[in-house]
Amino acid sequence: MIASRPFHVMTKPIGPICNLDCKYCFYLEKEALYTDAKWRMSPERLERYIQQYIAAQPTDHVSFAWQGGEPTLLGVDFFRRVVSLQREYAGGKTIENAFQTNATLLDDEWGAFLHENQFLVGVSIDGPRELHDRYRVDKQDRSTFDQVMRGIEVLKKHQVDFNTLTCLNRATAKKPLEVYRFLKSIGSHYLQFIPIIERQPGAQTREWGLELASPDERPGATDEDLPVNSWSVLPRDFGEFYMRIFDRWVRKDVGKTFVQLFDTALGKWVGAPGGICVHAETCGDALAIEHNGDLYSCDHFVYPQHKLGNIADTELAELVNSPRQRKFGTDKRDTLPQYCRDCEVRFVCNGGCPKSRFLTTPAGEPGLHYLCEGYRAFFNHIAPVMRVMADLYQRRQSPAAAMDLVQSKSIPGYKPLK
């Protein structure tokens, strides 16, 4: 069976198991949902998943994404088996692999394997030592910075392509240029920043043994306010973080350093399809599969009420095509409050991820994203430059030419932060 449109699955072959104990991690606690688990995707389940995932894709290009927890805990041989199965079931399709890791367990064996099989590696690192170690610690609450840096050196030694994933928490968001300069200094040319937004649990979440509120818990739904936790990024800091990095990037780094949100924004201004799901009009095409084959609507919705089924019982494509999953995706658009529908930057923002739409609008309508203030400030800040870049692109010129215009102060309406 083939899916009705391309889709992506975040594959968690070891579930939430990790050798680190990052204080803000939303996935570690998912261990409570599988109390009798053997934390390793079985050979039979792995083969079934790879076979179905390749067969279900309606295109000839298939991208696998391996995450956790920490996937390196499974060992290199597990992924040798992955590659072998992919070759067996490829059926003429092109297969790619992306691999998200904290990098602390990487060694020469890993480096050689990742290079030989052309894995694209995402390294989780939050900036220089004092920022990284604020929350990204091991099980003994010790620093992990040196281990991550050693892992990055392994990747460089073996010429493995890597990018960086940096969490914007209460601390990192206050140091935008320090974080940006550091990531460039370690050789990262592709930067992704993930806002940390987690709330204290309500009654529903506590029943499952979890410590962070599920996306379905809204203020007023229980007798609690569900405030955000102390490490969650503040909306104004989030917006200023991106604005300050953008102001540096647009003067010196266009075409050399790639920031995911900037690429997505430019795509919106030129009217291109795609971009990250967070800012798509609808979602539902980025799912998550657990170690035992349970499929969930989204990586951020791994809760009982969002489990679609198990690939041992139902074909993957059938679950992806299900009316339930399609509704999950269209609800992102259909539940958008009027405040967002009337917003001047809706076309690029689209209300943000439903996971964090737990505020109310000034008119009292539910469904406003926690980061609305930051998103709106940022997208309006970059709008004059994005219009110029979009015009350059449509005239088949490089958007990088905007750097000269910025430096000569020739873009009306664009005012870099002081």
Side-chain angles (χ1 to χ4, degrees):
M1 186 175 182
I2 299 176
S4 59
R5 58 191 188 188
F7 67 97
H8 176 77
V9 175
M10 190 74 73
T11 314
K12 297 178 178 289
I14 197 170
I17 302 304
C18 187
N19 60 317
L20 302 190
D21 193 21
C22 302
K23 301 307 180 185
Y24 52 62
C25 182
F26 73 95
Y27 213 80
L28 286 175
E29 68 170 7
K30 297 302 191 298
E31 189 172 349
L33 300 179
Y34 293 93
T35 54
D36 59 348
K38 295 180 179 179
W39 297 109
R40 187 183 186 93
M41 187 174 278
S42 70
E44 298 77 19
R45 200 58 45 89
L46 178 66
E47 182 170 2
R48 186 176 181 86
Y49 169 60
I50 289 175
Q51 179 184 16
Q52 289 190 16
Y53 187 68
I54 294 172
Q57 293 292 345
T59 67
D60 291 331
H61 189 275
V62 181
S63 296
F64 283 84
W66 305 95
Q67 202 180 58
E70 176 48 45
T72 56
L73 288 169
L74 291 164
V76 176
D77 285 344
F78 180 92
F79 288 95
R80 289 195 177 103
R81 177 64 173 157
V82 164
V83 172
S84 176
L85 289 168
Q86 289 172 338
R87 289 170 179 164
E88 179 179 349
Y89 291 109
K93 294 184 177 182
T94 300
I95 309 295
E96 288 184 350
N97 286 285
F99 191 85
Q100 188 66 40
T101 177
N102 60 42
T104 61
L105 301 178
L106 295 179
D107 56 18
D108 285 334
E109 184 182 16
W110 271 112
F113 168 81
L114 295 167
H115 172 79
E116 178 184 356
N117 294 284
Q118 298 181 307
F119 274 54
L120 173 62
V121 177
V123 175
S124 298
I125 185 167
D126 281 356
R129 182 187 300 275
E130 62 275 13
L131 291 175
H132 177 88
D133 286 340
R134 178 73 175 267
Y135 298 111
R136 296 191 65 82
V137 294
D138 66 12
K139 299 296 186 183
Q140 287 74 45
D141 206 35
R142 298 175 304 195
S143 167
T144 64
F145 180 79
D146 289 335
Q147 295 97 304
V148 177
M149 293 303 295
R150 280 198 300 269
I152 290 173
E153 290 307 311
V154 168
L155 297 175
K156 290 179 179 179
K157 174 183 175 181
H158 291 275
Q159 298 180 313
V160 178
D161 290 336
F162 75 95
N163 53 38
T164 51
L165 186 154
T166 300
C167 291
L168 293 188
N169 53 58
R170 194 70 58 94
T172 53
K174 294 182 181 297
K175 302 285 185 178
L177 296 182
E178 187 174 343
V179 170
Y180 183 64
R181 286 192 293 260
F182 171 79
L183 295 174
K184 290 202 302 175
S185 75
I186 64 173
S188 179
H189 301 290
Y190 296 86
L191 283 54
Q192 181 180 1
F193 300 103
I194 303 294
I196 298 297
I197 307 166
E198 299 297 344
R199 294 176 297 149
Q200 295 178 22
Q204 180 188 59
T205 305
R206 288 198 298 268
E207 286 181 6
W208 297 324
L210 303 178
E211 298 179 358
L212 301 173
S214 80
D216 297 321
E217 290 189 293
R218 298 285 187 266
T222 70
D223 58 355
E224 296 160 294
D225 292 330
L226 308 183
V228 296
N229 289 322
S230 61
W231 54 78
S232 295
V233 63
L234 298 174
R236 185 168 297 181
D237 289 346
F238 172 84
E240 185 166 332
F241 179 94
Y242 267 117
M243 285 189 279
R244 291 201 178 279
I245 287 180
F246 182 85
D247 290 345
R248 177 64 58 89
W249 174 82
V250 80
R251 287 193 295 111
K252 297 183 177 182
D253 295 332
V254 180
K256 296 181 290 185
T257 300
F258 299 88
V259 179
Q260 186 187 54
L261 186 56
F262 300 170
D263 289 345
T264 292
L266 180 57
K268 299 290 185 181
W269 257 275
V270 301
I276 55 177
C277 60
V278 170
H279 295 300
E281 185 178 31
T282 62
C283 59
D285 296 321
L287 302 92
I289 193 166
E290 258 292 343
H291 66 290
N292 69 338
D294 284 346
L295 187 72
Y296 292 87
S297 291
C298 171
D299 182 41
H300 287 285
F301 285 76
V302 177
Y303 296 92
Q305 71 271 36
H306 292 288
K307 188 174 81 171
L308 298 170
N310 190 290
I311 62 169
D313 307 315
T314 310
E315 281 195 36
L316 179 62
E318 184 177 340
L319 296 173
V320 172
N321 286 341
S322 67
R324 181 180 171 190
Q325 181 62 7
R326 292 301 100 202
K327 184 178 185 301
F328 174 86
T330 56
D331 277 351
K332 181 176 191 289
R333 174 196 62 210
D334 297 343
T335 61
L336 201 62
Q338 193 63 44
Y339 183 78
C340 294
R341 296 176 190 274
D342 295 338
C343 180
E344 70 280 359
V345 292
R346 178 199 170 178
F347 75 98
V348 60
C349 177
N350 282 307
C353 179
K355 169 188 179 289
S356 300
R357 291 183 182 177
F358 53 81
L359 298 185
T360 56
T361 69
E365 191 177 3
L368 184 66
H369 198 282
Y370 169 75
L371 293 177
C372 173
E373 178 187 2
Y375 278 136
R376 196 168 192 173
F378 169 68
F379 289 131
N380 276 302
H381 179 74
I382 69 173
V385 178
M386 284 292 153
R387 287 192 288 267
V388 169
M389 286 186 165
D391 180 65
L392 289 166
Y393 175 83
Q394 289 161 350
R395 289 191 283 119
R396 298 186 179 181
Q397 298 180 30
S398 172
M403 288 191 291
D404 290 337
L405 297 174
V406 168
Q407 291 177 13
S408 64
K409 300 181 181 179
S410 301
I411 298 182
Y414 173 58
K415 298 180 180 179
L417 296 185
K418 295 181 180 179

